Amino acid sequence: MDGRAIDILLIEDNPGDIRLTKECLREGKVRNNLFVIEDGFMVMPFLRSEGEFANTPHPDLILLDLNLPGRDGREILKDIKNDPEFRKIPIVILTSSQDEKDVLQAYDLYVNCYITKPVDLDQFINVVKSIESFWLTIVQLPSRAITEEGF
């Protein structure tokens, strides 16, 4: 991605999962800027660069938990994928829910990937490293310069 750091938005309310994700991404191979939102009501203002988020970039990748205070991840996913300005941002659900209804609903709302968080610490670290490896080194993410019309 043109040599710049990848901007990642982590939407997560569990302090332990936030800390582990930060550590894994800090130790990773790809330069990244990690932004963390812990409350579902703050996601759209962040994406729209409103208020306290006036100078934040659009993320290249979103890691989204489903179970959040305020607005839950399902509502956030729907809002992002229904907005032409943000729908191309890849979203990875990273959640504790293994409920088949949640998986189906997420894919119906055009999530790019659904991952159930492992309970085991080493497995959680491996999952975050796998996300980094796949989404930040293998996949070609859309350029920020491309608009909805492709120009």
Side-chain angles (χ1 to χ4, degrees):
M1 295 212 42
D2 67 16
R4 67 172 173 76
I6 303 296
D7 294 320
I8 302 169
L9 175 58
L10 173 63
I11 306 168
E12 171 65 67
D13 66 319
N14 181 308
D17 290 349
I18 293 170
R19 183 180 50 78
L20 283 173
T21 303
K22 282 182 177 181
E23 288 176 15
C24 291
L25 291 172
R26 190 177 309 123
E27 295 172 5
K29 302 173 201 159
V30 178
R31 284 186 323 134
N32 64 79
N33 300 313
L34 182 66
F35 300 89
V36 179
I37 298 289
E38 298 181 39
D39 183 314
F41 284 118
M42 302 307 292
V43 174
M44 294 313 288
F46 178 93
L47 291 175
R48 293 183 180 124
S49 300
E50 297 173 343
E52 66 185 277
F53 306 112
N55 296 314
T56 57
H58 285 179
D60 298 299
L61 178 68
I62 297 173
L63 305 177
L64 174 63
D65 185 19
L66 288 182
N67 304 309
L68 298 164
R71 301 184 71 233
D72 79 358
R74 296 155 196 86
E75 294 173 281
I76 294 165
L77 176 61
K78 185 176 183 179
D79 285 348
I80 294 170
K81 291 301 184 178
N82 282 329
D83 190 316
E85 186 176 356
F86 308 120
R87 73 171 50 129
K88 291 181 183 174
I89 300 171
I91 299 177
V92 175
I93 298 286
L94 186 58
T95 188
S96 58
S97 174
Q98 296 180 353
D99 188 335
E100 183 66 18
K101 283 196 277 189
D102 285 337
V103 175
L104 290 172
Q105 183 181 21
Y107 282 107
D108 282 344
L109 294 171
Y110 306 106
V111 73
N112 299 87
C113 182
Y114 191 105
I115 299 172
T116 302
K117 291 180 197 171
V119 177
D120 177 80
L121 175 63
D122 289 331
Q123 289 179 352
F124 185 86
I125 291 168
N126 285 335
V127 163
V128 173
K129 287 181 178 182
S130 295
I131 290 170
E132 180 197 31
S133 175
F134 182 73
W135 286 100
L136 304 182
T137 60
I138 296 172
V139 171
Q140 182 173 343
L141 296 173
S143 171
R144 291 182 193 154
I146 298 174
T147 65
E148 188 65 22
E149 294 80 27
F151 301 106

